[in-house]
Amino acid sequence: MSKKLAAYFSASGVTAGLAKNLAEAAGADLYEIRPAVPYTNADLNWQDKNSRSSVEMKDKSFRPAIADTNANIADYDTIFVGFPIWWYVAPTIINTFLEAYDFSGKTIVLFATSGGSGMGNSAKELKLSVSDTAVIKEGKRFAANTTVSELKKWVESLGV
């Protein structure tokens, strides 16, 4: 049985709730990916092209600073990485997280929340931030109210 971690970034709390349910469903430890500077509601206004999130997402090389790098990634075989979908992909802070650790030989399973967008090119774009020996699974977008039992079925279907 592999040791699992559910690491997540949640700007508004929606993904945090899903991540807690996923950790319970998968028997995983929980780790929050926190930005060094928390996002305000104004920062998250996707309709404002000058908002912080809009500016960050326009530049694929942008890497928002994270508050800490004390996740013990070496202790885990499978890392679930969760995030809200921003502009049809993972927020660039997820790249920051992936680039802060060595994921060699690890299995990374993506999960996300969104008001309506799918996973887009998240896996493809995030693969550039980890070693060639890390495996990134496409993962799935979930509704915020997905139950522990529904998540447990999904985790079991992954074979991790």
Side-chain angles (χ1 to χ4, degrees):
M1 186 171 194
S2 70
K3 191 159 182 205
K4 299 174 184 74
L5 177 69
Y8 69 93
F9 163 67
S10 186
S12 64
V14 174
T15 306
L18 178 66
K20 287 173 187 159
N21 284 348
L22 176 61
E24 182 180 335
D29 293 335
L30 193 61
Y31 178 81
E32 182 179 6
I33 302 164
R34 294 180 300 114
V37 177
Y39 289 87
T40 66
N41 285 338
D43 290 338
L44 300 173
N45 183 356
W46 59 272
Q47 294 175 319
D48 177 0
K49 65 181 180 178
N50 295 313
S51 74
R52 178 177 164 196
S53 59
S54 296
V55 170
E56 289 176 4
M57 294 305 290
K58 278 183 203 162
D59 180 358
K60 298 269 186 219
S61 68
F62 194 88
R63 297 294 183 264
I66 53 179
D68 62 66
T69 54
N70 60 5
N72 294 319
I73 298 300
D75 293 350
Y76 301 95
D77 305 304
T78 303
I79 300 94
F80 293 90
V81 177
F83 47 86
I85 298 291
W86 287 4
W87 288 261
Y88 308 102
V89 292
T92 54
I93 193 168
I94 300 301
N95 297 88
T96 306
F97 173 73
L98 294 175
E99 291 166 8
Y101 299 96
D102 181 6
F103 285 88
S104 298
K106 308 289 183 187
T107 298
I108 300 166
V109 181
L110 304 179
F111 68 98
T113 57
S114 172
S117 301
M119 297 292 284
N121 287 325
S122 295
K124 180 180 174 187
E125 291 186 14
L126 294 175
K127 181 63 178 154
L128 302 173
S129 293
V130 295
S131 76
D132 289 343
T133 63
V135 174
I136 294 186
K137 293 189 177 260
E138 277 296 328
K140 187 173 177 180
R141 177 183 62 90
F142 292 95
N145 62 352
T146 303
T147 65
V148 171
S149 63
E150 290 171 306
L151 290 165
K152 191 171 188 123
K153 286 179 191 168
W154 176 66
V155 170
E156 289 169 356
S157 77
L158 296 170
V160 294

